[in-house]
Each structure stands twice: as structure tokens, then as C-alpha cells.
Amino acid sequence: MRDFLFSFKSSALFIGTLIGAGFATGEEIKSYFMGANIWSVVFSAVLFGLMCGICLCFGKIKTKRLCRTIMLVWKTFMNVCVIISLIAMLLAAEEVVYDLFSIRYGSVLTLGICYFIVLRYQDQLGFLNAVIVPIIVVFIFVVVLKSDISVVHGRFESSSAFLYATMNVFSAGMMMKSWGSKMSAKQVISSSFLTFIIVGSLMICIKLVVDNSTGSMPFLVMAKNVGVGVLSEIVVFLAILTTMLSDVALLRPLFDKTSNKISAFCLLFFGLLVCIVPFGFSHVVQYGYPVIGICGAIYICYAIYSLATVRGKFFLQKRNDCVHSTGERT
């Protein structure tokens, strides 16, 4: 039971990081899978499960030290990708909080809450996501049950499934790396399988809903049409919250290097405000997310290469200290 709970927490952290505003509003699903059949969505969920396992395994090995220039370039791109994701979450939070409570600057409040949680309870993010993700799942199921859905027949789109998975996996993969070092092979497999089941279920539900909806944020539009708009907005806010928490956690090392963390955080925040004023959420998704997708694909390829070359036998050795860094026999 303990193994299952730990696997579920790691899976929930992975899922909570990747299901941001674009996922929960249905905008990403509709953009990538318009005209595609359900099997395309299932294939993408399989990729998410595999990538979760790869990132967890990647955290169990010691990678070769790269030269300083490459590390600097990679860290720069990594921070840029996380900041793009954070900007998207801020824009979405502003809109959703206004719809829910009719107050402005909800993004400021949400980001402040996230920063406080990360500073005080970063080690508990897995537990927090394990609470929030089931709530999101239940609420999405309710919206689906209330909606008029029908299975749309289309073509199998393997390329869209792959591109969608890599676009979402970057921040989630970075969060998973530290968890992998604590997990046994059995826990890694369980976490990957849970990720496939949960993400697949959510993607299928959203796909069935958005295929019959139009306009921006189609999942919200359909939910409002069937009288559960507030419920769907809560889903989107929770999805924004979990992704924003991970983004802030990934950016925290930037703040830790400064003498005044609060000042550094405020400087970054106001810098983001200046950047996002001219843009909307859809523009950030359209132009910024492909950059994240490229970095996600590079990260996964590097992880696979590292796993395949460590001592030449990563997947074959059952007693590899480099692999089983926890010292447990698996």
C-alpha cells in the first residue's frame, strides 16, 4: 500500500504539472487533435506514461558532466521555457479568477500563494497534487456526464500525439527527476501506469466534450452551456494552480542565489507583467508552447540516450548502484 501511495503522489505531481490552463480549457486538445480519432488521444496518453517512467529513471543515474557553455545554454532555455509556462498560467489565472470572483489582479494573488507554498512546503507538493488531481478528475467527469457528447470518427494522428506529449512533458519531466532517485523499479512502473490511466481518461473526456464545442476555451464554453460553468472554472483554476506551483519550484534556484529572495521574486513578477500586457493567453500558447515542445523533445532524447549508455546495460542490470541509488533491491 505504501508503494502505491508513493507512486500515486509522484504520478499526481507529474500530471498536476502538465495539466495547465491549455489542457483544462480544452484549447490544447482541440488544437492538436481536431479531426483525429480517440486512438490518437490514447496513443498520446501512452507516451505520457512512458515519458513519466523515463524521467523517473533518469533521476536514478549520474549523467556525464557537460561543458560549461552547454550547461549555460541549457539552463537558459530551461528557465525561458518555465517562464513561458508561468506567463501562460498568469494570463489564464487573471481571466478565471475574474470570472469566479469578479476581482482583478487574481493572477497576483495566485502567484503569491504559489510562492509562499513553494518556500514553506516544496517537499509536500506531491501530497498537494495527490489531493488536487482527483478533484480535477471528478469535476471533469461531472462535466462530461452533463454534456451532450458523441464519438467523432477521424484519422489516427501519431505525429500530433507525439508533439502534444513533448510539448507538455518538459516542466513535468524536470520535476520528476528528483523523485526518481527515491523510487524503486516497481514504484516507477506503477507511477507510469497510473499516469497513463489518469491522463488518458482526462484527455478522452475533454476530447469528447470539445469536439462538439466552438470558440476559445471550448471545454469552458460547453460546461457553461450545460449549466456547470462554475465547476469547470474551478477545474481550470486548480489546473493552473498545480502547474504554477511546479513552475515556481523550478524557478526557485534563481531566487535562492540572491540575498533577498522576495525582492528577486517581485522583480521577476513585474518583469513578467511588462511582457504579458501586450499578449493574450492564446498568443502565448501559439508562439511560446512550440519552444517548450522542442526543449521537451530534446530533454526526453537526452534522457533516453543517458539511460541507454550508462554502463551500457541500464535496462538489463538488476543490481546497478547507478540505477538503484536508493539501495533497495528491486
Side-chain angles (χ1 to χ4, degrees):
M1 187 63 179
R2 180 183 290 181
D3 281 348
F4 174 79
L5 290 175
F6 193 81
S7 298
F8 179 70
K9 282 198 296 184
S10 65
S11 179
L13 181 59
F14 183 84
I15 295 166
T17 303
L18 66 89
I19 56 170
F23 184 101
T25 58
E27 199 160 304
E28 291 177 0
I29 300 291
K30 188 157 190 176
S31 175
Y32 277 83
F33 296 101
M34 174 66 73
N37 58 23
I38 288 294
W39 294 112
S40 305
V41 175
V42 173
F43 179 57
S44 189
V46 170
L47 292 176
F48 275 120
L50 289 173
M51 289 178 182
C52 177
I54 289 169
C55 293
L56 288 171
C57 290
F58 188 40
K60 301 175 78 65
I61 65 171
K62 295 178 181 178
T63 55
K64 293 180 180 178
R65 199 167 190 60
L66 299 175
C67 74
R68 184 175 297 181
T69 303
I70 294 177
M71 283 301 298
L72 180 61
V73 170
W74 173 249
K75 285 183 178 179
T76 301
F77 270 101
M78 183 192 81
N79 290 326
V80 166
C81 289
V82 176
I83 288 172
I84 290 172
S85 173
L86 186 57
I87 289 172
M89 295 309 105
L90 285 169
L91 289 168
E94 185 67 31
E95 187 173 336
V96 171
V97 172
Y98 182 76
D99 287 343
L100 282 171
F101 305 108
S102 299
I103 59 173
R104 291 294 181 188
Y105 308 110
S107 57
V108 178
L109 179 61
T110 306
L111 187 59
I113 292 171
C114 289
Y115 188 59
F116 173 79
I117 292 173
V118 169
L119 280 182
R120 295 294 183 90
Y121 307 107
Q122 183 167 343
D123 293 340
Q124 303 301 319
L125 290 185
F127 173 78
L128 184 62
N129 279 268
V131 174
I132 293 177
V133 168
I135 295 173
I136 293 174
V137 171
V138 171
F139 282 10
I140 286 180
F141 281 169
V142 170
V143 174
V144 172
L145 291 173
K146 290 273 189 179
S147 303
D148 181 22
I149 61 173
S150 59
V151 178
V152 177
H153 299 285
R155 56 192 180 277
F156 180 72
E157 293 282 0
S158 58
S159 58
S160 294
F162 176 77
L163 291 173
Y164 183 65
T166 55
M167 183 198 74
N168 281 279
V169 80
F170 183 72
S171 294
M174 298 295 292
M175 290 295 292
M176 286 295 97
K177 190 176 179 185
S178 61
W179 277 71
S181 60
K182 312 170 191 174
M183 299 176 68
S184 66
K186 181 181 177 181
Q187 290 171 333
V188 169
I189 293 170
S190 298
S191 183
S192 301
F193 182 72
L194 285 169
T195 298
F196 159 64
I197 294 296
I198 298 172
V199 172
S201 300
L202 292 177
M203 289 178 67
I204 289 172
C205 287
I206 294 175
K207 166 71 173 169
L208 292 174
V209 171
V210 302
D211 274 341
N212 295 303
S213 182
T214 57
S216 179
M217 299 188 174
F219 185 79
L220 284 177
V221 171
M222 178 61 78
K224 289 176 181 177
N225 290 341
V226 298
V228 286
V230 173
L231 200 64
S232 65
E233 285 172 345
I234 292 173
V235 168
V236 175
F237 179 76
L238 291 175
I240 291 169
L241 185 67
T242 54
T243 301
M244 196 180 288
L245 281 168
S246 294
D247 288 341
V248 173
L250 289 171
L251 289 172
R252 183 179 175 180
L254 290 178
F255 311 137
D256 289 345
K257 292 177 181 178
T258 62
S259 56
N260 191 325
K261 298 177 185 179
I262 302 297
S263 298
F265 176 75
C266 291
L267 183 63
L268 174 64
F269 176 72
F270 286 114
L272 291 178
L273 283 181
V274 171
C275 293
I276 67 179
V277 166
F279 303 102
F281 175 72
S282 58
H283 287 90
V284 175
V285 172
Q286 183 179 356
Y287 299 110
Y289 276 27
V291 177
I292 301 176
I294 293 170
C295 286
I298 293 171
Y299 182 77
I300 288 296
C301 289
Y302 178 65
I304 293 172
Y305 170 78
S306 299
L307 293 171
T309 55
V310 61
R311 296 191 184 178
K313 300 176 181 178
F314 178 83
F315 295 107
L316 300 178
Q317 290 184 354
K318 294 184 179 178
R319 295 187 182 179
N320 189 339
D321 345 327
C322 218
V323 176
H324 305 298
S325 56
T326 57
E328 296 173 0
R329 288 190 63 182
T330 53

